[in-house]
Amino acid sequence: QVQLVESGGGLVQNGGSLRLSCTPSGRTFRSYIMAWFRQAPGKERMFVATIWGGGITYYADSVKGRFTISRDNAKNTVYLQMNGLKPEDTAVYYCAADVSYRRNYADASSYDYWGQGTQVTVSS
């Protein structure tokens, strides 16, 4: 089964930046719908950003203008550049892959594979 591995999380000050990486193994993800979700303790996983073929991207309103999702096909890696981080961004961030092209990108149930998550903590 394919595995997704996230990295790049950590503790950052209010207004700081982090870059998350998602490195899948077992298969390539060049043509798949990839996304980032986040989940705070006791809350549901919420959509953050997604990237489709052709460079099409969509973002949650809460991160629009601050976060950027991108992919490097040569490295088979998906990134989430997070700038202007706020305490409310604190959560475990998960990489997800929709290999079935369900295309309902904001719904967590649309995704077939998930990473283990990486913690992002923003201090005020």
Side-chain angles (χ1 to χ4, degrees):
Q1 187 178 109
V2 67
Q3 296 180 359
L4 303 177
V5 180
E6 303 100 333
S7 62
L11 176 64
V12 66
Q13 295 180 356
N14 186 24
S17 298
L18 285 172
R19 188 190 193 193
L20 306 183
S21 299
C22 175
T23 57
S25 62
R27 63 203 296 180
T28 60
F29 283 77
R30 295 174 62 182
S31 62
Y32 295 152
I33 297 171
M34 303 295 295
W36 290 93
F37 283 71
R38 64 188 183 186
Q39 185 172 23
K43 299 185 181 297
E44 296 182 349
R45 292 188 185 186
M46 301 295 294
F47 168 75
V48 176
T50 187
I51 185 166
W52 294 21
I56 298 172
T57 59
Y58 301 95
Y59 297 91
D61 289 341
S62 59
V63 306
K64 191 174 298 182
R66 299 187 296 121
F67 291 9
T68 303
I69 187 171
S70 62
R71 71 200 310 165
D72 186 335
N73 289 331
K75 297 181 178 179
N76 198 29
T77 300
V78 178
Y79 303 97
L80 184 67
Q81 178 67 48
M82 304 184 294
N83 299 324
L85 284 164
K86 306 173 182 179
E88 53 262 44
D89 296 317
T90 295
V92 177
Y93 283 70
Y94 296 90
C95 180
D98 173 10
V99 303
S100 301
Y101 302 102
R102 298 180 176 90
R103 299 182 179 90
N104 192 2
Y105 60 84
D107 187 347
S109 65
S110 297
Y111 294 84
D112 302 284
Y113 301 105
W114 294 84
Q116 83 290 344
T118 184
Q119 177 70 48
V120 172
T121 302
V122 185
S123 62
S124 60

